[in-house]
Amino acid sequence: MNEQAQLPEPPQFSDEEMQRCRETGDFMPMLFEWYKFVGHVCIFFAQLQRESPTVREILPIHFAILTGLLNRCARLMLSNIALSHNGNFGETTALLDRCIFESCLKLDWLCHEGNDDSFQCYLAGGLKTEIELEKEIRGKITEREDSEVLHIEKRMLSSIDRYINAAGLSREEIIEAKKLPDVSAMLRDLGHERLMYVVAQRLGSHHVHGTWPSLLLHYLEVDDDGGFTLRDHDCHTHPNQFVMTPLQVLGAITSFIVFVIEAEDAEGIVSLLDSIQEEILNINGEMIGSDFQRS
């Protein structure tokens, strides 16, 4: 672990604060603090050093992928904190949540599979587009009579080389690599039911792609005459977002810890992560009340 990194203290709430949330039915102040805490926990463990005596043997590129995904989750959570602290930008936090979910899922899946082929699929999946772009650029160059290379093309080709070289794969390996499983297949591999795919992926995609449900939820309003007007900038982040996203991130951190740290050392950390999850679920239990009772 980075010598300067310190695990933050968990949120603390007085009895009066908790009672106020119960009386108003507004648990967002508590959930917001726990959301911030999970973001800090995520970046704390992302700074784990591969050379640490508690870390098992793992290829540097594999370790970089996993810690990079954790860093991505933490950074996007930080963005959501900055956007939502005044209650607005719910349309944007929903979009970022979808990105966090997919990063968590990929990390979970890579740790679950735990083999070279899976990591190579991940790397090649992103680099296939770079290979295609490189082919297009070189095609444009050869079409010119003098085969002159434009400055912008030189910069783009150099950037593509940098991505490929850092991955440690040849162009042939990238082209021939198996396709990375889609989200549905990853969730099945991890033992999730179809409902998880529909809720986390398909519904989350509304916010990414701007489908009709997304427009009606965040960008349009139905007036008294059944017509449509543009919605003002007043979209709140839904409380469920401050429950589901930190739970997904905690799950990803747990997968990372179990995969990279020796079992006897991982046990205490997993117990800590479980206790954080329990705190968030307890708040969620009070918030949802009788929602899951038979009507």
Side-chain angles (χ1 to χ4, degrees), residues 196-215:
M196 173 63 82
Y197 173 71
V198 174
V199 172
Q201 172 71 6
R202 296 296 299 274
L203 291 183
S205 292
H206 287 320
H207 312 298
V208 176
H209 302 300
T211 60
W212 174 243
S214 172
L215 295 184

Side-chain angles (χ1 to χ4, degrees), residues 42 64-74 102-104 106-108 110 122:
C42 186
I65 291 169
L66 298 178
T67 54
L69 285 169
L70 283 181
N71 189 31
R72 173 177 162 85
C73 290
E102 193 163 330
S103 294
C104 289
K106 287 176 178 175
L107 194 152
D108 283 336
L110 288 169
Y122 172 84

Side-chain angles (χ1 to χ4, degrees), residues 14-25 30:
S14 67
D15 292 341
E16 291 77 11
E17 289 173 319
M18 296 180 67
Q19 185 59 31
R20 191 180 307 119
C21 290
R22 294 187 181 105
E23 290 173 353
T24 62
M30 297 175 68

Side-chain angles (χ1 to χ4, degrees), residues 217-228:
L217 179 62
H218 290 138
Y219 305 99
L220 293 172
E221 289 185 317
V222 181
D223 59 30
D224 294 337
D225 299 323
F228 299 100

